[in-house]
Amino acid sequence: MDAYNRTFKTIMTGLATGLLLAGCASPSSEDQFGNSVRQMIAAQKYVPPGQEPPELPVLDGRKAEAGYNSYVKDTGKPERLGPDMSGGVGMGLQR
């Protein structure tokens, strides 16, 4: 009986080891990973691949500074707001 138990344990250990190693094997479809994402991105493009427009120009410092200065000047003039654009209507605020 002792030899039978030892043989049984050896066979079960071998089967368990084989199943664990088989579970760690890589799937055969591993070469397909990412294809669905690439296909989705290609389907969302407006122009066919290879005919993409050139990159948009980057805003240089002078234009950015001029835009910011224009913004600062325009937002500092509350007289440009009309009585219906004051934003204080219904909140009990008056000028």
Side-chain angles (χ1 to χ4, degrees):
M1 189 74 169
D2 192 34
Y4 175 76
N5 282 340
R6 202 171 320 154
T7 305
F8 182 74
K9 286 181 182 179
T10 304
I11 291 173
M12 293 308 283
T13 303
L15 283 174
T17 304
L19 287 174
L20 285 173
L21 289 175
C24 295
S26 64
S28 61
S29 64
E30 190 172 289
D31 58 338
Q32 300 295 322
F33 287 161
N35 284 347
S36 63
V37 175
R38 285 187 284 276
Q39 182 182 8
M40 179 188 63
I41 290 172
Q44 292 179 3
K45 286 190 175 183
Y46 180 71
V47 294
Q51 297 179 3
E52 288 90 4
E55 287 189 32
L56 295 173
V58 180
L59 185 65
D60 66 341
R62 287 179 289 155
K63 287 183 181 177
E65 184 180 9
Y68 177 74
N69 289 337
S70 172
Y71 168 76
V72 168
K73 283 189 237 174
D74 287 344
T75 55
K77 297 180 181 177
E79 64 275 359
R80 293 185 62 207
L81 296 175
D84 57 338
M85 297 172 55
S86 66
V89 177
M91 291 189 282
L93 302 175
Q94 295 180 1
R95 288 196 209 201

